[in-house]
Each structure stands twice: as structure tokens, then as C-alpha cells.
Amino acid sequence: MEAHATAGHTYSYLTENLVVAAEPGMRLPRHLSGEKVHAAPELMADGLIEDEGGTPVAVDAPDVRLAAVPDWRLPGRDLVLTGVELRRDEHVMAIPQGENAWLLRLDRFLRRHEGEIAALLRRHAP
């Protein structure tokens, strides 16, 4: 029997909710049935939007007032939460097996900067 290398991982340093947001002043839908929703391809949200009864459309499609966005992107944007959550992701970092000291050091670093992670993403993410 061949041994396979495994990985350890950090604690979950970021919980990211993929939500549907609307332009201000828009009637907020409780569900997506019949609604068109902007969905950037890198979010892989098309199937999730369809599961909720909506229609995913390209980000540059005109006259669409709903968008699938990670919740950390909302501060500073002129968008309002609709209450529709498409997905929740717990982010961790994988570390090669046997790197316990490195894992501990990384966990401590992430915990020390936990409150800054969303702001750093907003500032540096494309």
C-alpha cells in the first residue's frame, strides 16, 4: 500500500458569503424567481443563481439591478443586501504534512490580523 502525503490546514480565517445585492431604491426580492442577476465568471455562481430561480447574466449586461457579490466587497459600494445568500465558504490555507511549527506560526498570524482580512481584500483584490 502506497502512502499518500496529506496536508494540514489553518483554522478558518475568513467566512465569505456570496450574496445577492441590489441597487438602492430597488424593490428587494425575497427570492430570485424571474430575476436577472449579474454574475462575474470567477464567482462560479451561475448554477447557484439558477437553483434560486434566477437568470445569471454577464456583468456588462444592461438594465440588470441585482448582482452576486462576496459580502466583503459590499462596504463602500452603493449596494443593498437582498437577504438572498447563495453560498457560504470557510477559507483556510493548506500546509504540507509535518510543518506543524509553520502551521502554528501561520495560525497565530492570521488570528492576529483576522479583523483586517476583509479590508485587505477590498483594497487588493481585483
Side-chain angles (χ1 to χ4, degrees), residues 12-66:
S12 175
Y13 63 89
L14 176 69
T15 299
E16 175 184 68
N17 299 307
L18 184 61
V19 297
V20 176
E23 293 179 1
M26 180 183 173
R27 174 194 57 83
L28 298 180
R30 290 193 171 155
H31 49 78
L32 298 183
S33 295
E35 300 284 355
K36 291 181 181 177
V37 181
H38 286 294
E42 67 271 12
L43 295 176
M44 297 181 285
D46 289 3
L48 299 169
I49 293 167
E50 290 168 348
D51 288 348
E52 295 291 326
T55 303
V57 296
V59 172
D60 58 355
D63 302 322
V64 179
R65 300 179 65 197
L66 295 172

Side-chain angles (χ1 to χ4, degrees), residues 47-91:
L48 299 169
I49 293 167
E50 290 168 348
D51 288 348
E52 295 291 326
T55 303
V57 296
V59 172
D60 58 355
D63 302 322
V64 179
R65 300 179 65 197
L66 295 172
V69 294
D71 59 352
W72 55 264
R73 285 193 179 270
L74 289 173
R77 291 189 172 208
D78 200 18
L79 294 172
V80 178
L81 285 172
T82 63
V84 177
E85 183 179 299
L86 299 172
R87 181 179 66 220
R88 178 176 291 228
D89 296 314
E90 299 286 331
H91 291 276

